[in-house]
Amino acid sequence: MKQFQVRLYQPQDFTIWNAFISVAKNATFLFYRNFMDYHSDRFKDYSLMVFDGDKLIAVVPANRIEDTVYSHQGLTYGGLILNNKAKLSAVISIFKNVLQFLNENSIEKLIVKTIPTIYTDYFSDELEYCLFILKAKLYRRDALSVLDLTKKIVIDSNRMEGVKRGFKNELVVKEETSFDLFWNEILVPNLATKHNAKPVHTLSEITKLKNLFPNNIRQFNVYKNEELLGGTTVFVNKKVVHSQYISGNVTKNVSGSLDFLHHHLIKEVFKEYHYHDFGICNEYDGRKINKGLLFWKESFGAKTVIQNFYEVETSNYSILDSVLI
């Protein structure tokens, strides 16, 4: 089995890391260091780089807590990021070397949250195969509600009633460059009231990220007579639009604001994209589903895409030596 050099990411690797992400077959803008480093104060970075001689062939965005390394906890998905020429036999060797490096550096476990297939440019299930061989523990499985924009979209009548109310109420959708109004008047109060929670991103953080990635992070609000009724913050990748935040004024939902807003995004703004990812409706590591939220998303025609979460013992790395016969 071929040996590759594995080492920790260092700040001086910023340029080479980003250059690799720009051509990787299963990367999104979340893996650029510009994005990852915005919350560097919250996580102890333990990202890895894998080299074949002088050539960077794979990276692992990650952070460390004691004797465990995680697919970066500040990102929605992660794992082994590969170039588009990577073949299964090489990936088996790469991942073996990654686990061996971790094991030799006193890391007992690697936690992997895989990249949903809709986000990859090419088929990219090599890591899933390696995790199967390694007897990794599947401890969580999320169900994403995803709308396939390449096919005819059939929206349920209950959603279309909301859309019709939106037209009747003369609602207007605007793309905004500022998140202040949505964050302060809608999102933060709603999360606090309904879930006793806060947005993953603070207002200053999402504003900073918007400035770094103006084409990838966009805010759409819906208004009636200049009154804000709701909005959504979307993360835009090469072919996927992901609703990172969706929230509306609870006393104004009868106007059809969120139905009207998302109908506009699906039918007009992002109609040339492949997928609209409404995100998950899961709780308790995927074992419970918010049925009301699921109903709303599926009413737009969304179907289920799975994201898997694994725990693997780094000491099992030698198992991969016997795969190729």
Side-chain angles (χ1 to χ4, degrees), residues 53 69 74 104 126 183 209 230-232 242 246 277 303-304 308 310:
V69 165
E104 291 172 351
E126 297 89 352
W183 241 251
L209 290 172
T232 182
H242 169 56
I246 302 172
D277 176 10
K303 308 299 182 186
T304 300
N308 291 325
Y310 294 95

Side-chain angles (χ1 to χ4, degrees), residues 112-313:
V112 178
K113 46 185 170 184
T114 60
I115 305 170
T117 55
I118 57 172
Y119 286 95
T120 64
D121 291 341
Y122 299 87
F123 297 139
S124 190
D125 285 339
E126 297 89 352
L127 179 58
E128 286 268 7
Y129 180 76
C130 291
L131 291 166
F132 160 70
I133 296 296
L134 289 160
K135 304 176 183 178
K137 176 185 176 182
L138 175 64
Y139 72 91
R140 173 177 169 180
R141 173 171 279 166
D142 282 349
L144 285 66
S145 296
V146 179
L147 183 60
D148 188 343
L149 300 175
T150 68
K151 295 180 171 57
K152 183 179 179 180
I153 299 170
V154 180
I155 301 176
D156 287 359
S157 58
N158 44 28
R159 293 283 69 75
M160 289 308 301
E161 284 299 319
V163 175
K164 291 175 184 176
R165 288 199 302 273
F167 280 111
K168 182 178 179 180
N169 286 291
E170 298 181 335
L171 303 188
V172 175
V173 175
K174 296 180 182 179
E175 181 169 8
E176 305 286 8
T177 56
S178 171
F179 300 93
D180 295 38
L181 198 61
F182 177 62
W183 241 251
N184 294 329
E185 293 194 11
I186 301 287
L187 184 63
V188 172
N190 279 359
L191 286 176
T193 302
K194 294 181 179 179
H195 306 288
N196 192 28
K198 297 179 180 179
V200 174
H201 306 88
T202 66
L203 177 57
S204 61
E205 286 172 344
I206 197 70
T207 300
K208 177 181 178 181
L209 290 172
K210 167 71 172 178
N211 290 334
L212 290 170
F213 299 95
N215 297 322
N216 300 104
I217 301 176
R218 300 171 66 178
Q219 177 66 37
F220 294 89
N221 292 346
V222 57
Y223 299 88
K224 180 179 181 180
N225 298 327
E226 301 302 321
E227 179 187 6
L228 177 64
L229 303 185
T232 182
T233 309
V234 295
F235 283 11
V236 183
N237 290 286
K238 299 172 188 175
K239 60 181 181 179
V240 185
V241 179
H242 169 56
S243 297
Q244 179 71 22
Y245 298 108
I246 302 172
S247 197
N249 185 324
V250 292
T251 65
K252 304 290 183 178
N253 281 347
V254 292
S255 65
S257 57
L258 294 182
D259 292 343
F260 182 81
L261 169 61
H262 284 83
H263 181 267
H264 177 74
L265 297 182
I266 291 165
K267 292 292 188 177
E268 300 295 334
V269 181
F270 297 113
K271 62 182 180 181
E272 301 301 326
Y273 283 73
H274 290 187
Y275 305 107
H276 190 117
D277 176 10
F278 283 98
I280 65 171
C281 306
N282 298 124
E283 299 174 13
Y284 302 103
D285 283 345
R287 289 175 173 80
K288 301 291 183 180
I289 292 178
N290 183 322
K291 63 181 182 181
L293 189 56
L294 179 65
F295 175 79
W296 183 79
K297 294 175 179 181
E298 290 187 335
S299 294
F300 280 102
K303 308 299 182 186
T304 300
V305 173
I306 291 300
Q307 180 183 18
N308 291 325
F309 297 71
Y310 294 95
E311 177 185 297
V312 58
E313 303 287 338

